[in-house]
Amino acid sequence: MGTREPSLALDETNNAFVRFDRVQKSYDGESLVVKDLNLDIPKGEFLTMLGPSGSGKTTCLMMLAGFETATHGEILLDGVSINNIPPHKRGIGMVFQNYALFPHMTVAENLSFPLEVRNMGKSEREAKVKRALDMVEMGDFGGRRPAQLSGGQQQRIALARALVFEPELVLMDEPLGALDKQLREKMQFEITRLAHNLGITVVYVTHDQTEALTMSDRVAVFNDGVIQQLARPDMLYERPDNSFVAQFIGENNTLEGTVKSLTDDTAVVELDGGLQLQCEPINVDNVGQRTRVSVRPERAELNLNNLSQDACTLTGTVQEFIYMGDIFRTRISVAGCDDFIIKTPNSPNQKRLSPGQNVKFGLNKKDCRALDP
Amino acid sequence: MEVADGTPLKKSLARSLRKEKLRALALIAPLLIFVLVTFVLPIGTMLTRSIDNSIVEEILPRTVLALEDWNEKGDELPNEMVFRSFVEDFQDAIADKNHTKIGSRLNYEVSGMSSLFRKSARKVKKWDLTDNAPIKQKLIEVNKAWGDVETWAVIKTHSVALTNGYFLNAVDMQRTPFGAQAQPENKQVLVKLFIRTLKMSLIITGMCILLGYPVAWLLANLSNRTSNLLLILVLLPFWTSLLVRTSAWKVMLQNQGVINDLLVWIGLITDDSRLEIINNQFGTIVAMTHILLPFMILPMYSVMKTIPPSYLRAAKSLGATNWTAFWRVYFPQSVPGIGAGSILVFILAIGYYITPEIVGGTDGIFISNRIAYHISSSLNWGLASALGAILLGVVLILYWVYDKIVGIDNVKLG
Ligand SMILES: Nc1ncnc2c1ncn2[C@@H]1O[C@H](COP(=O)(O)OP(=O)(O)OP(=O)(O)O)[C@@H](O)[C@H]1O
Ligand SMILES: [Mg+2]
């Protein structure tokens, strides 16, 4: 499944750095964990694989690293098929979820290990280890054992170890999963900074969507072994291709209904509550088809004067009003949907609604996306 | 620091904790007594028995006293007084039926003493000592041996209450009037036996490491179902009697046994050149390696189980070949398991008795077989205790050396 953004589409003959070509994977010979994966990653890109647990992200990463073999299809690195190249010859850096720092070696020895197995001279090794430690701001910790470091420090060392032998491709499998929120945000920033400074290609796995959206050049949303959408973070949020992506990324309102009429750029949907809504036709082909209309909570407009011409107005009943500091969160029942959420910024002239009150709001056509049922 | 009423804080803390400590002590008291009775007591008795020699002084008190003035290094016999004291002591001992005890005690040092005492007793028993007639010549007439300086020298040198004699014997030396001296060559067996025991225990430990490591690795890395099955196979030997397993080796390895038959059948050896693989060191090593293998595998397995597979993957992703990844990353982390298994197997092997006894023949037996012999056949418990004490010392020293080299903290027993 491709993206709709022409600038991001890779032409067939280009030099994708990493290419998954019709890759399938099955562990038990009965079910496919990865189904027909096609993915091109250009050099220098930070690509994130995002998806719920069990969707096959780690499996894809392991196939790329060489620890699992693809049941079908080919994986190419820099134009060369690597299906038959053992992991240690692939030259791919890897950061593991539990860091996998060798406990019996000091930090410096850990970093020196990949250089030693490449038969690098001692002085050169020491220089590189020092540079890598400085890069992650851990210059003074070379003599310590991994067990004597905090989680965040171990994380940095794992990162430095994956980068010290200067791989062009680095894989990271939920590297920040074990850290607390604050540290995670700091590390997110550092990882992206390092990746861009060094110009390396990164394939990053996470199931934290904020992480995916803030760090990546592109995000591949996985579900059930299939890439549901591959797009820039903003596209992913604002223009989800299907209901799964709309639901999975950010908060989403779903209104169910039936397509009444359909033109190239407009689908009129009759909601189950009886109202009619003008929508962008994304995933609908026929009149009479069931559909789910996806609307982001902050796109519902309470100030009716701000609406464009193709907007529809709806009336609902306030169920709940929650004060959240920077925003207000209002739960409304409208058109057969009991948990339609509206988010409004906390500004001086924003009215506060109270439960039971009727409220009128508008939805612009471009914010209503008619997706698969 | 002081508490409110002026007593120092430390003191008042100690007082408040004392009650708790006493209660805790009372709770573990039964266990403590049990350990004391079953563990500390036997070892303590063994250690005292290895130096205790009060028997001579108890049974022949007057003789020992009278002998003090006699020079055992010269070639003159003791005087009439010594002979008289001895006969008095001897008659008392016969009355108490103690004379065979002293006979066998001295027989450990010089053979023939036991029968000398036994035979002389029959005659000396009836002597009347009240007439003060000279007794020296009379006793020598009973048995010529009483006219030997050596007989009396043996009594004198072994009359001390605490002796180093047993320990000297244990290292192929003896206590003589002229100090500690080496045993005659044909009696020097024990040091050789100690060295053999250590050497063979080391070989057995080494074999167990070689054979156990791959098995433990398999156990730790196979899927749960398969590894459980394999673990049962490893533990299976524990469910059959040690005797049965050892005897099975006898059946396997003997001259007309399975292995030899097989080798003859496939033509590797001819019928008249069947291999001698039992009742020698080879047989002992094979059987004991088999019997002690689980004690190596289990600690190794429990350590390997805790090494996550991601370390090996990490090493390979960093460019290490399979072998380098194993040797530099996996193996060092499994060393505590090897250490624990080796200590366990080595210490068990060094004191093993049944298997060498059955399959060891003459040159495959261990020091413990000798200890058993002295306990049940020669009844020289002092020597047996001294051998046991030395064995204990060797184990403790090895343990200490091991701690210095590997570090006992690096050992994981589970
Ligand atoms: N070694 C294996 N043997 C058999 N099945 C496996 C194996 N590894 C993974 N699976 C199965 O493959 C599917 C995908 O697993 P994978 O580890 O790729 O998921 P994931 O997307 O990384 O999930 P998570 O976010 O929880 O890490 C799961 O259903 C899992 O049960
Ligand atoms: Mg995963």
Side-chain angles (χ1 to χ4, degrees):
Chain A
M1 212 167 285
T3 154
R4 296 171 151 250
E5 196 63 15
S7 67
L8 281 167
L10 298 155
D11 56 305
E12 291 304 309
T13 55
N14 83 344
N15 43 359
F17 186 52
V18 177
R19 163 170 287 177
F20 284 88
D21 187 14
R22 278 168 290 150
V23 171
Q24 298 186 330
K25 173 72 184 174
S26 168
Y27 283 108
D28 50 9
E30 281 168 17
S31 58
L32 285 174
V33 169
V34 174
K35 300 166 188 159
D36 195 35
L37 179 72
N38 291 290
L39 178 60
D40 282 356
I41 307 172
K43 209 166 188 139
E45 187 177 58
F46 196 117
L47 181 121
T48 299
M49 295 178 171
L50 174 68
S53 191
S55 55
K57 309 178 297 284
T58 301
T59 306
C60 287
L61 215 59
M62 288 301 161
M63 286 193 289
L64 187 50
F67 298 122
E68 295 291 350
T69 49
T71 314
H72 175 83
E74 236 179 342
I75 302 172
L76 296 107
L77 185 63
D78 218 359
V80 182
S81 166
I82 53 171
N83 281 20
N84 292 320
I85 298 180
H88 67 272
K89 292 205 179 127
R90 296 192 182 189
I92 299 177
M94 188 146 186
V95 180
F96 291 80
Q97 177 161 16
N98 56 3
Y99 317 134
L101 294 175
F102 307 140
H104 58 293
M105 299 184 190
T106 63
V107 165
E109 284 165 351
N110 262 284
L111 261 65
S112 173
F113 182 82
L115 308 176
E116 274 170 49
V117 299
R118 287 176 169 74
N119 295 322
M120 201 172 276
K122 188 159 189 265
S123 54
E124 197 182 353
R125 251 171 22 215
E126 277 167 5
K128 287 202 175 194
V129 167
K130 188 174 172 338
R131 206 177 326 136
L133 281 175
D134 288 340
M135 184 175 71
V136 292
E137 293 162 13
M138 294 280 293
D140 299 335
F141 292 84
R144 293 226 199 151
R145 292 281 164 117
Q148 297 166 324
L149 300 177
S150 73
Q153 290 168 335
Q154 290 185 25
Q155 221 296 314
R156 282 160 199 256
I157 299 302
L159 190 62
R161 189 179 66 176
L163 296 174
V164 69
F165 60 99
E166 291 161 15
E168 289 183 275
L169 174 62
V170 176
L171 314 180
M172 305 191 192
D173 191 357
E174 303 192 28
L176 306 179
L179 303 185
D180 64 56
K181 189 162 173 288
Q182 224 164 9
L183 199 54
R184 198 150 75 204
E185 278 163 11
K186 188 158 174 247
M187 288 304 300
Q188 285 169 8
F189 171 74
E190 286 197 20
I191 290 175
T192 30
R193 180 180 61 90
L194 276 174
H196 283 133
N197 286 354
L198 299 172
I200 49 175
T201 313
V202 177
V203 180
Y204 190 97
V205 165
T206 182
H207 51 217
D208 178 343
Q209 43 155 313
T210 355
E211 204 165 289
L213 296 182
T214 53
M215 296 176 80
S216 332
D217 295 326
R218 282 194 302 167
V219 178
V221 181
F222 272 70
N223 188 36
D224 204 13
V226 174
I227 296 186
Q228 301 289 334
Q229 187 170 0
L230 173 67
R232 279 190 346 230
D234 54 340
M235 291 297 145
L236 214 53
Y237 184 76
E238 279 164 37
R239 301 192 181 175
D241 270 353
N242 55 43
S243 324
F244 175 81
V245 177
Q247 295 281 1
F248 191 71
I249 308 280
E251 202 168 5
N252 182 60
N253 289 311
T254 307
L255 297 168
E256 302 208 14
T258 318
V259 180
K260 267 281 169 248
S261 71
L262 187 64
T263 62
D264 269 355
D265 58 355
T266 311
V268 177
V269 175
E270 180 168 313
L271 299 180
D272 291 351
L275 279 163
Q276 292 209 345
L277 197 61
Q278 301 215 46
C279 304
E280 294 279 343
I282 308 294
N283 252 348
V284 287
D285 314 308
N286 303 309
V287 174
Q289 184 188 343
R290 292 288 297 168
T291 181
R292 286 180 183 193
V293 179
S294 145
V295 185
R296 294 294 179 195
E298 66 277 8
R299 293 302 162 90
E301 189 57 77
L302 286 174
N303 188 344
L304 301 180
N305 299 331
N306 290 354
L307 292 173
S308 57
Q309 290 193 336
D310 51 14
C312 302
T313 326
L314 294 84
T315 308
T317 315
V318 175
Q319 298 289 342
E320 203 176 359
F321 176 84
I322 302 170
Y323 175 85
M324 293 180 74
D326 54 344
I327 55 161
F328 301 145
R329 196 164 185 269
T330 317
R331 187 161 69 83
I332 291 172
S333 66
V334 64
C337 166
D338 262 349
D339 47 5
F340 192 94
I341 306 291
I342 298 180
K343 282 184 188 165
T344 45
N346 181 359
S347 57
N349 46 10
Q350 186 70 56
K351 47 184 172 185
R352 302 191 178 192
L353 303 164
S354 44
Q357 192 179 346
N358 275 352
V359 63
K360 256 189 171 193
F361 63 95
L363 299 172
N364 286 322
K365 188 194 98 181
K366 70 172 174 43
D367 295 326
C368 302
R369 295 172 71 80
L371 304 174
D372 50 308
Chain B
M1 284 279 260
E2 291 178 352
V3 288
D5 65 358
T7 44
L9 182 58
K10 265 204 175 135
K11 205 167 144 193
S12 104
L13 180 69
R15 192 188 306 149
S16 64
L17 287 181
R18 193 175 309 140
K19 210 168 157 188
E20 261 176 58
K21 278 187 190 157
L22 278 177
R23 218 177 47 194
L25 200 67
L27 277 174
I28 61 159
L31 184 67
L32 212 62
I33 292 168
F34 179 78
V35 168
L36 223 63
V37 169
T38 58
F39 195 74
V40 179
L41 222 58
I43 290 183
T45 350
M46 177 189 83
L47 290 179
T48 41
R49 208 181 269 278
S50 65
I51 51 170
D52 175 33
N53 190 41
S54 46
I55 176 170
V56 181
E57 218 178 25
E58 268 164 28
I59 299 179
L60 307 173
R62 281 160 284 198
T63 323
V64 170
L65 213 62
L67 273 172
E68 257 170 33
D69 298 329
W70 176 65
N71 175 16
E72 73 271 27
K73 291 174 194 156
D75 45 12
E76 254 178 63
L77 274 178
N79 57 20
E80 170 70 22
M81 223 267 282
V82 172
F83 275 82
R84 175 164 288 276
S85 316
F86 173 74
V87 173
E88 281 168 2
D89 282 341
F90 199 29
Q91 284 190 329
D92 286 353
I94 294 165
D96 298 343
K97 298 200 162 57
N98 269 339
H99 62 288
T100 48
K101 275 192 201 158
I102 185 78
S104 5
R105 166 65 189 94
L106 294 172
N107 200 56
Y108 302 153
E109 312 299 338
V110 176
S111 49
M113 286 298 244
S114 182
S115 65
L116 173 65
F117 273 70
R118 217 165 349 96
K119 283 178 190 157
S120 311
R122 274 180 238 138
K123 302 203 173 137
V124 175
K125 194 162 61 177
K126 298 172 208 130
W127 288 358
D128 184 10
L129 294 181
T130 47
D131 58 356
N132 277 337
I135 215 139
K136 188 169 169 178
Q137 210 47 46
K138 207 169 161 193
L139 190 63
I140 294 173
E141 271 161 29
V142 169
N143 196 317
K144 281 206 303 294
W146 295 117
D148 275 345
V149 178
E150 270 103 295
T151 310
W152 297 99
V154 165
I155 295 178
K156 180 160 180 184
T157 37
H158 294 282
S159 64
V160 287
L162 295 179
T163 180
N164 58 0
Y166 293 124
F167 276 98
L168 288 176
N169 285 353
V171 294
D172 289 340
M173 294 174 75
Q174 58 186 348
R175 193 181 158 91
T176 69
F178 309 97
Q181 284 184 350
Q183 295 263 29
E185 211 132 303
N186 61 348
K187 284 179 122 186
Q188 293 184 9
V189 286
L190 293 174
V191 171
K192 260 188 244 156
L193 207 53
F194 263 117
I195 292 173
R196 183 203 290 164
T197 306
L198 290 179
K199 204 178 75 190
M200 285 178 59
S201 299
L202 272 182
I203 295 175
I204 289 162
T205 311
M207 296 294 297
C208 282
I209 294 176
L210 286 183
L211 294 174
Y213 198 92
V215 178
W217 190 86
L218 265 185
L219 278 172
N221 287 287
L222 282 176
S223 73
N224 264 344
R225 253 181 61 117
T226 343
S227 78
N228 276 344
L229 197 74
L230 207 61
L231 198 62
I232 289 177
L233 291 182
V234 169
L235 294 178
L236 202 64
F238 283 133
W239 303 345
T240 41
S241 145
L242 181 63
L243 272 170
V244 171
R245 276 179 286 152
T246 308
S247 312
W249 276 112
K250 201 145 190 153
V251 175
M252 290 280 286
L253 299 178
Q254 66 191 333
N255 209 285
Q256 299 296 323
V258 180
I259 300 283
N260 265 318
D261 282 349
L262 197 73
L263 288 177
V264 170
W265 184 70
I266 57 178
L268 268 178
I269 53 174
T270 58
D271 198 24
D272 46 1
S273 63
R274 285 174 176 257
L275 300 176
E276 287 296 333
I277 43 178
I278 194 89
N279 295 333
N280 56 18
Q281 299 196 359
F282 182 85
T284 308
I285 290 173
V286 168
M288 281 188 56
T289 302
H290 165 240
I291 281 160
L292 295 178
L293 199 53
F295 295 99
M296 182 64 86
I297 293 176
L298 292 178
M300 277 184 177
Y301 165 66
S302 79
V303 168
M304 288 181 183
K305 195 79 186 161
T306 62
I307 306 175
S310 64
Y311 286 128
L312 273 182
R313 290 185 161 183
K316 283 185 214 164
S317 83
L318 293 170
T321 57
N322 284 340
W323 169 250
T324 317
F326 166 78
W327 184 243
R328 295 274 319 269
V329 173
Y330 194 89
F331 182 76
Q333 295 188 60
S334 67
V335 163
I338 302 180
S342 301
I343 286 197
L344 213 58
V345 168
F346 186 79
I347 290 178
L348 282 173
I350 211 175
Y352 228 68
Y353 164 69
I354 295 185
T355 307
E357 184 73 23
I358 297 177
V359 300
T362 46
D363 73 342
I365 58 161
F366 279 17
I367 193 71
S368 29
N369 301 98
R370 200 69 196 171
I371 296 178
Y373 163 78
H374 282 302
I375 284 185
S376 56
S377 301
S378 85
L379 300 182
N380 187 353
W381 286 21
L383 179 55
S385 297
L387 289 171
I390 291 178
L391 200 56
L392 182 65
V394 168
V395 169
L396 288 180
I397 288 172
L398 285 173
Y399 191 76
W400 177 78
V401 169
Y402 185 91
D403 183 32
K404 284 283 152 213
I405 298 174
V406 186
I408 224 69
D409 304 341
N410 274 335
V411 169
K412 277 193 208 154
L413 279 174

